[in-house]
Amino acid sequence: MENFKEINLDDAIQLINENKSVLIEEIVDELNAFYEVAGKIILYSGETNLENLIVGNDIVIINGNLNVANVIEDCDKVDSSLLIVLGNANCKNLITLSSMYFTGDLNVENVILGDSLCDYVLNVGGNITTKTILDYGHCIIAEKVITVTDVFSFNSIEDENGAIEQNMERDELVDEITEIDDDEKLESLSKTIDYIKAGGEIFKKS
């Protein structure tokens, strides 16, 4: 049985303050803003192991390290959502269309996909390690170092050393994640999500 319960806003803020992360102020600001809409906070305590973590209307806080066998994903049936992990996180794939905060390191085996029309942020207090980052219009920040092989960036990816430049052009993206619009090749969010969930791991044409 997974160890989770509903908590109130004051208790959530206290937990975040106790974590003493460099991201405290930003996380509390986001928590207050999202709470006005969501009104419900779900807390997982201690080392949390899940097959998938799908965040929807409820704010989700993990007070400890998070290990997800497959995908961490947000915005399930909602326009915006909030995930806060007070620790390190490991997963195979991460798909974010809204706000995610990790106070420790984020290790993603395969791919990080972000697209929020440049409105929201994936903010990591430690390092980010992954093979591929696909930024379709998102803000991805690591307070320490981002280690990544292939980068497609429409908006902003940065770590303690500054901006991470893309090394993958639009025409190098595999056909499975693009669509043709007015004879122009464009990245397709829905096709990319389907491709990732179907086990797709190659995003750059060889």
Side-chain angles (χ1 to χ4, degrees):
M1 181 69 190
E2 291 305 335
N3 182 20
F4 66 87
K5 62 180 181 179
E6 186 175 345
I7 60 168
N8 64 36
L9 183 61
D10 289 342
D11 288 346
I13 290 172
Q14 185 179 339
L15 275 178
I16 290 160
N17 284 323
E18 287 170 0
N19 186 261
K20 295 184 167 53
S21 164
V22 292
L23 305 178
I24 283 179
E25 287 184 22
E26 289 169 67
I27 294 175
V28 170
D29 284 348
E30 286 284 83
L31 184 60
N32 281 314
F34 275 93
Y35 188 74
E36 287 181 15
V37 179
K40 189 173 178 185
I41 303 170
I42 301 297
L43 173 72
Y44 289 81
S45 295
E47 188 95 10
T48 300
N49 301 296
L50 300 169
E51 189 65 31
N52 294 288
L53 175 58
I54 312 295
V55 182
N57 192 55
D58 299 335
I59 295 166
V60 175
I61 300 177
I62 313 285
N63 188 27
N65 295 330
L66 171 66
N67 303 299
V68 175
N70 195 12
V71 66
I72 297 175
E73 184 180 4
D74 61 13
C75 273
D76 183 43
K77 303 181 184 67
V78 290
D79 291 332
S80 60
S81 62
L82 178 60
L83 169 65
I84 299 166
V85 177
L86 303 174
N88 301 318
N90 301 287
C91 65
K92 187 172 183 183
N93 300 299
L94 185 143
I95 299 169
T96 178
L97 311 179
S98 193
S99 287
M100 289 187 182
Y101 289 85
F102 299 84
T103 62
D105 293 333
L106 173 61
N107 299 299
V108 182
E109 184 185 325
N110 190 23
V111 62
I112 295 172
L113 168 63
D115 186 355
S116 63
L117 303 174
C118 308
D119 287 338
Y120 294 109
V121 65
L122 166 62
N123 206 330
V124 176
N127 304 296
I128 295 176
T129 305
T130 189
K131 281 188 202 150
T132 303
I133 295 178
L134 300 173
D135 153 33
Y136 286 1
H138 202 62
C139 192
I140 297 171
I141 302 169
E143 297 297 326
K144 292 184 180 174
V145 176
I146 295 177
T147 304
V148 59
T149 307
D150 292 322
V151 178
F152 175 81
S153 179
F154 176 81
N155 186 42
S156 172
I157 305 171
E158 58 184 71
D159 66 5
E160 66 179 6
N161 299 312
I164 305 290
E165 299 299 332
Q166 78 167 22
N167 62 1
M168 191 162 41
E169 299 297 330
R170 186 170 275 122
D171 59 11
E172 293 178 283
L173 298 175
V174 294
D175 294 338
E176 288 90 342
I177 65 171
T178 60
E179 57 194 8
I180 303 298
D181 186 37
D182 294 335
D183 290 335
E184 187 182 9
K185 185 174 178 179
L186 297 171
E187 59 276 13
S188 167
L189 178 65
S190 60
K191 286 181 73 173
T192 305
I193 291 173
D194 290 346
Y195 180 70
I196 292 169
K197 289 185 172 179
E201 297 187 2
I202 307 298
F203 300 91
K204 186 176 186 178
K205 288 180 176 176
S206 54

